[in-house]
Amino acid sequence: MAAGGGSVADPLSPSGVPCAFSPQSQAYFALASTDGHLRVWETANNRLHQEYVPSAHLSGTCTCLAWAPGRLQAKETPQRKKRKSEAIGTSNQTDLLALGTAVGSILLYSTVKGELHSKLISGGHDSKVNCIQWHQDNGYLYSCSDDKHIVEWNTQTCKVKCKWKGDNSSVSSLCISPDGKMLLSAGRTIKLWVLETKEVYRHFTGHATPVSSLLFTTIRPPNESQPFDGITGLYFLSGAVHDRLLNVWQVRSENKEKNAVMSFTVTDEPVYIDLTLSENKEEPVKLAVVCKDGQVHLFEHILNGYCKKPLTSSCTIQIATPGKGKKATAKPIPILAAGFCSDKMSLLLVYGNWFQPTIERVALNSKEAHMCLVRDISNCWAPKVETAITKVRTPVMNAEAKVLVPGIPGHQAAIKPALPQTEEIENKRKLGENEVSIEERLGALDIDTRKEKDDLPQTNSFPVLLAQGLESNDFEMLNKVLQTRNLNLIKRTVLRMPLHAVIPLLQELTKRLQGHPNSAVLMVQWLKCVLTVHASYLSTLPDLVPQLGTLYQLMESRVKTFQKLSHLHGKLILLITQVTASEKTKGTTCPAQKAKLVYEEESSEEESDDEIADKDSDDNWDEEDEEEKESIKDEDVDEENEEEDEDAEEKDEENGEDRDVASEKELNGDSDLDLENESEEE
């Protein structure tokens, strides 16, 4: 049950390579590598069982594969009536493997005979086959393609039984219900079809990107009290390209609920998914998800309704190499596929290289949340002894033999003066030391072996580099161009780029926008320039909506949370400003200020003088001191009487002035009254 692989150039194609375990106790593991070869490995002893190379393996590479459920009988075809006895004798031993290709054809390969059984071409697909599913009862084959159609094949007659349109865009995944009466199909939305009438039974929301995996997780509904019609109440799982969430959906009796009931979260895009079916409501579903980063996440959950938060894995498995030496560090080994064994307590892991994978059975009795297996696979990747020995021999040259230099026949090439390094080489040969290196030989020929450093691309070469990088899908070349932060350079590059590279550039920007936020900031600048500069060209494209549908959905999903984030941002700014203002008021101290005017009462002066006198006096009083104090008091009384007389005189003067002022006011008041009376008479 692999999330099949597609073309590398398509940013929305699933990651990984098409692969699957055989249904009978997982004895074999089939793998279609990128070079078009089909290899079947024995899981018990990790030995290559068969290898098949299709005739069109370069032009029509394998995009998906599926094992036949059980042993299907290959009945006779009209072309082989004469070999009827042979067909009946070998029919019970025929294990078929269906291969979908990039050109739309489907191959049926027999793993027992080791040859091509039949080929399904006529009336089928016009484009790449994305997924293949076998029917568990009648042996029919169902396939979907980029041509938006689903095809039902009769593998006995190798002809199309039925063909219908499955979606408005490409159909990327299929799955047949446990009772064999329903079919799930998915592009970006998920549809449930009735196989008998080919009508849509239910719609589901789906994912923002093409769905790469569809799997039913239960055989019976959790509520066993109600009658079961074969489909209502069942759960199924879906995974999509560039999506780290695996959604779980439930088929309801009413057609209102279209959203997922729960989801599982993983660290990267799912590449391969395997699970154990839940046969009753108490049995949990065990799920093994292989991600693009090479890890395996294990989940175990009882499906019993809606769950709001995404569920995390109960165990994560990684494989790494042992670090040899003190300075050497362990390197991770990617896990390619994982499948549950028949006992459901062990797991088959396929890791290493696609061309020479290692298959190992691992027990799942550990309760640890993280398992790291240390494996040394250096010997597995090394070529065998037979292939390492070459038949090329180095000729033994005589000392008197002359070496002809390339040039015009009959003319001698210009002889360069011997460098001092040639003497060292001759000395090494005479002393019988190791063979002279090629670098020293080239140095003797005065050939500069130093590589020139790659200069940074100039401004005028950016459009050329961008077009070449998009055509060849060169990651490093695209990084050199797209990682620039100069806005003027970005505008000039977009203005000078060819028009045929606009759509591939938008697809590449869409792919990078889903990555790290730091890179997404740069990609937004490129996207803005492309949409503003080439808006007139994009408006002329008839299929613009399906080509930019992913970008639109991505932008819409990002903008949904912008309003809430802006509200949160405003509230946080208010809180921060209030906190900083309160901290400033607490931290400030009142500055020291000198009083401009100080008012002191006389009594306070007297009290202060008495206090000073008390402090200066001694504890023991003498008669002389008493006399002095009495004289001082008499003097103080005289001074106070004089001050009182002066105050009285001042008060009399002030009272006289007040009387003069009052008399003046009365005069003024009389004049005012006279003016008022005159105005009234007028």
Side-chain angles (χ1 to χ4, degrees):
M1 298 176 184
S7 175
V8 181
D10 188 4
L12 295 179
S13 63
S15 302
V17 177
C19 57
F21 289 97
S22 62
Q24 278 109 14
S25 68
Q26 298 176 324
Y28 299 103
F29 178 72
L31 187 149
S33 55
T34 54
D35 58 355
H37 292 220
L38 172 68
R39 296 179 178 89
V40 181
W41 302 84
E42 296 178 4
T43 58
N45 52 15
N46 199 19
R47 187 172 63 89
L48 181 62
H49 180 63
Q50 286 179 4
E51 184 174 3
Y52 171 68
V53 183
S55 58
H57 66 282
L58 295 178
S59 59
T61 56
C62 180
T63 55
C64 55
L65 57 86
W67 290 87
R71 298 180 180 272
L72 296 177
Q73 293 186 357
K75 293 184 180 180
E76 63 179 27
T77 57
Q79 291 81 5
R80 298 187 63 184
K81 284 186 178 180
K82 296 181 181 179
R83 303 180 64 181
K84 180 178 179 181
S85 59
E86 180 186 352
I88 295 174
T90 59
S91 62
N92 294 329
Q93 299 177 352
T94 303
D95 287 344
L96 295 179
L97 185 63
L99 308 174
T101 62
V103 294
S105 60
I106 297 175
L107 309 178
L108 299 182
Y109 176 76
S110 173
T111 57
V112 173
K113 296 180 181 180
E115 62 182 13
L116 187 66
H117 180 268
S118 57
K119 193 172 183 180
L120 311 178
I121 302 177
S122 59
H125 297 290
D126 302 329
S127 185
K128 180 185 73 173
V129 181
N130 292 323
C131 184
I132 296 175
Q133 285 289 323
W134 289 87
H135 198 282
Q136 56 265 35
D137 298 330
N138 53 25
Y140 287 165
L141 193 70
Y142 294 89
S143 61
C144 62
S145 171
D146 284 348
D147 61 4
K148 310 175 185 179
H149 286 82
I150 302 172
V151 178
E152 182 180 17
W153 298 88
N154 188 342
T155 57
Q156 315 252 330
T157 59
C158 301
K159 293 182 179 179
V160 175
K161 185 184 177 185
C162 184
K163 181 178 180 180
W164 71 97
K165 186 176 180 180
D167 206 333
N168 292 327
S169 59
S170 62
V171 185
S172 56
S173 187
L174 296 174
C175 184
I176 298 175
S177 62
D179 63 349
K181 297 180 181 179
M182 297 283 184
L183 176 69
L184 278 172
S185 71
R188 287 185 175 87
T189 60
I190 302 173
K191 297 179 182 179
L192 183 63
W193 302 83
V194 181
L195 285 178
E196 186 177 356
T197 60
K198 307 298 185 294
E199 295 179 354
V200 178
Y201 181 70
R202 289 287 182 273
H203 281 274
F204 300 93
T205 307
H207 297 257
T209 53
V211 176
S212 57
S213 304
L214 279 176
L215 298 169
F216 272 94
T217 58
T218 53
I219 298 177
R220 300 285 300 176
N223 189 5
E224 296 180 354
S225 61
Q226 298 179 357
F228 180 51
D229 58 356
I231 191 65
T232 304
L234 295 187
Y235 292 89
F236 66 91
L237 181 80
S238 67
V241 178
H242 304 313
D243 197 344
R244 296 190 299 109
L245 287 179
L246 299 172
N247 291 338
V248 179
W249 315 79
Q250 187 179 20
V251 182
R252 303 290 181 88
S253 58
E254 66 276 2
N255 197 13
K256 294 181 180 179
E257 189 65 32
K258 296 182 180 181
N259 298 325
V261 294
M262 67 180 66
S263 58
F264 300 99
T265 177
V266 291
T267 55
D268 205 342
E269 176 187 345
V271 175
Y272 191 96
I273 301 174
D274 191 26
L275 55 82
T276 61
L277 290 171
S278 174
E279 298 180 359
N280 53 57
K281 64 178 181 180
E282 297 179 356
E283 183 180 2
V285 174
K286 292 184 177 181
L287 184 66
V289 182
V290 181
C291 295
K292 190 178 178 181
D293 56 4
Q295 301 183 40
V296 176
H297 298 277
L298 301 178
F299 300 88
E300 187 173 351
H301 186 72
I302 298 175
L303 303 177
N304 55 1
Y306 182 75
C307 185
K308 188 175 181 180
K309 294 182 178 180
L311 302 176
T312 56
S313 60
S314 58
C315 181
T316 303
I317 302 176
Q318 285 181 311
I319 301 178
T321 59
K324 294 182 179 179
K326 295 182 180 179
K327 296 183 180 180
T329 57
K331 295 182 180 180
I333 301 173
I335 300 175
L336 311 177
F340 286 101
C341 298
S342 56
D343 58 355
K344 299 183 181 181
M345 296 303 296
S346 56
L347 198 67
L348 277 176
L349 296 179
V350 182
Y351 57 89
N353 193 356
W354 287 114
F355 302 100
Q356 186 71 32
T358 304
I359 304 174
E360 181 182 351
R361 183 170 179 169
V362 179
L364 300 177
N365 52 8
S366 176
K367 295 183 180 180
E368 297 179 358
H370 188 83
M371 293 174 58
C372 185
L373 308 177
V374 180
R375 299 289 184 269
D376 188 6
I377 59 171
S378 57
N379 297 329
C380 300
W381 288 4
K384 297 180 180 179
V385 179
E386 293 81 9
T387 58
I389 299 173
T390 59
K391 297 181 181 180
V392 180
R393 295 182 179 180
T394 304
V396 179
M397 296 177 61
N398 191 4
E400 298 179 356
K402 294 182 180 180
V403 180
L404 298 177
V405 183
I408 302 174
H411 295 80
Q412 293 182 352
I415 301 173
K416 296 182 179 180
L419 296 174
Q421 194 175 4
T422 55
E423 297 177 358
E424 297 178 2
I425 297 172
E426 292 176 358
N427 293 333
K428 286 184 179 180
R429 289 177 179 173
K430 289 179 182 178
L431 295 174
E433 294 181 0
N434 296 332
E435 188 178 354
V436 184
S437 64
I438 297 176
E439 186 175 1
E440 292 177 346
R441 293 180 183 178
L442 294 175
L445 296 174
D446 195 21
I447 296 177
D448 190 8
T449 58
R450 292 175 299 177
K451 295 181 179 179
E452 296 181 358
K453 295 182 179 179
D454 295 335
D455 295 330
L456 292 173
Q458 299 177 359
T459 305
N460 54 3
S461 66
F462 264 62
V464 180
L465 283 175
L466 183 60
Q468 292 178 354
L470 292 172
E471 290 178 1
S472 61
N473 199 19
D474 192 339
F475 187 74
E476 294 181 359
M477 191 179 296
L478 289 174
N479 273 346
K480 285 183 179 180
V481 179
L482 296 178
Q483 293 297 327
T484 180
R485 296 178 179 272
N486 190 348
L487 295 178
N488 293 328
L489 182 57
I490 293 174
K491 290 180 181 178
R492 287 197 296 270
T493 305
V494 173
L495 281 170
R496 297 176 183 177
M497 66 180 294
L499 288 178
H500 63 82
V502 173
I503 293 298
L505 177 59
L506 288 175
Q507 293 175 352
E508 180 67 23
L509 293 176
T510 304
K511 181 180 177 182
R512 291 172 180 256
L513 278 172
Q514 299 171 357
H516 198 274
N518 290 337
S519 64
V521 173
L522 296 176
M523 297 308 110
V524 167
Q525 300 293 338
W526 282 92
L527 185 63
K528 180 181 177 182
C529 288
V530 172
L531 294 178
T532 53
V533 173
H534 297 287
S536 57
Y537 167 70
L538 292 172
S539 61
T540 59
L541 298 178
D543 55 346
L544 181 65
V545 175
Q547 287 185 352
L548 299 185
T550 306
L551 177 61
Y552 175 74
Q553 292 177 1
L554 176 64
M555 294 170 65
E556 191 176 6
S557 62
R558 295 282 179 92
V559 173
K560 274 184 181 178
T561 58
F562 179 73
Q563 188 175 3
K564 296 180 181 179
L565 288 174
S566 61
H567 289 313
L568 179 62
H569 181 65
K571 292 178 181 178
L572 289 175
I573 288 176
L574 287 175
L575 289 174
I576 291 169
T577 51
Q578 290 177 0
V579 170
T580 52
S582 62
E583 289 178 353
K584 286 181 180 179
T585 54
K586 289 180 181 179
T588 55
T589 58
C590 296
Q593 296 180 357
K594 293 182 179 180
K596 295 182 179 179
L597 177 63
V598 178
Y599 175 75
E600 294 182 356
E601 295 181 356
E602 295 175 359
S603 60
S604 63
E605 292 179 357
E606 293 173 0
E607 289 174 1
S608 62
D609 294 336
D610 293 339
E611 289 174 358
I612 294 168
D614 292 338
K615 290 179 182 178
D616 295 335
S617 63
D618 299 326
D619 296 335
N620 299 324
W621 291 81
D622 295 332
E623 293 179 357
E624 295 177 356
D625 295 336
E626 290 177 358
E627 291 177 356
E628 290 177 357
K629 288 180 180 178
E630 288 177 357
S631 63
I632 290 169
K633 287 181 179 178
D634 294 336
E635 292 176 357
D636 291 337
V637 169
D638 295 337
E639 290 177 357
E640 288 177 358
N641 293 329
E642 291 176 358
E643 289 177 356
E644 288 177 357
D645 294 337
E646 291 176 356
D647 293 337
E649 291 176 358
E650 290 177 357
K651 288 179 181 179
D652 293 336
E653 292 175 358
E654 289 176 356
N655 291 330
E657 291 175 357
D658 293 336
R659 288 169 187 169
D660 297 336
V661 171
S663 60
E664 290 177 0
K665 287 181 179 179
E666 287 176 359
L667 293 172
N668 293 330
D670 295 338
S671 62
D672 294 338
L673 290 171
D674 296 335
L675 291 171
E676 290 177 358
N677 294 329
E678 289 175 2
S679 62
E680 287 176 0
E681 288 176 359
E682 290 175 0

